[in-house]
Amino acid sequence: VQLQASGGGLVQTGGSLRLSCVASGSIFTIDLMGWYRQAPGMQRELVATITTGGMSNYGDSVKGRFTISRDNAKNMVYLQMNNLEPEDTAVYYCNAKKPATLNEGAVRYWGQGTLVTVSS
């Protein structure tokens, strides 16, 4: 599975951005897709995830401001980010997970990351 993220950039505090990620390869094996982020000197953290069926989960710091969505027909996942804050500055990584089977454990795939910078 290959993931290609796009949509990052520079935005002012209070602004909005929309990230996109397209999956290719053995996508039929994927259940969960989502976004994680990593700020300089910090650990990678959950932003949001969404299942094939549309159930979503958000990190506490983005609840109410970010919305994750998914288009299964296009193999894409999106992250709409509103009311951005300087603390949201980070590299955002697209993530996909193949669930565990009888033969192997769960496998996570990562995109290359897209930088989001929020100026104060």
Side-chain angles (χ1 to χ4, degrees), residues 26-89:
S26 300
I27 54 178
F28 61 91
T29 63
I30 295 302
D31 176 24
L32 197 68
M33 295 189 72
W35 296 91
Y36 287 71
R37 68 185 183 186
Q38 188 167 18
M42 304 292 286
Q43 290 187 334
R44 193 170 295 189
E45 64 173 358
L46 168 72
V47 177
T49 59
I50 187 168
T51 68
T52 304
M55 293 186 63
S56 59
N57 180 52
Y58 295 91
D60 289 340
S61 61
V62 306
K63 285 179 180 177
R65 300 186 298 122
F66 292 10
T67 303
I68 191 169
S69 60
R70 181 169 176 173
D71 187 332
N72 293 322
K74 295 182 179 179
N75 305 316
M76 295 199 68
V77 63
Y78 307 96
L79 185 69
Q80 178 65 42
M81 305 185 293
N82 297 330
N83 195 21
L84 283 159
E85 303 167 351
E87 292 74 23
D88 295 316
T89 296

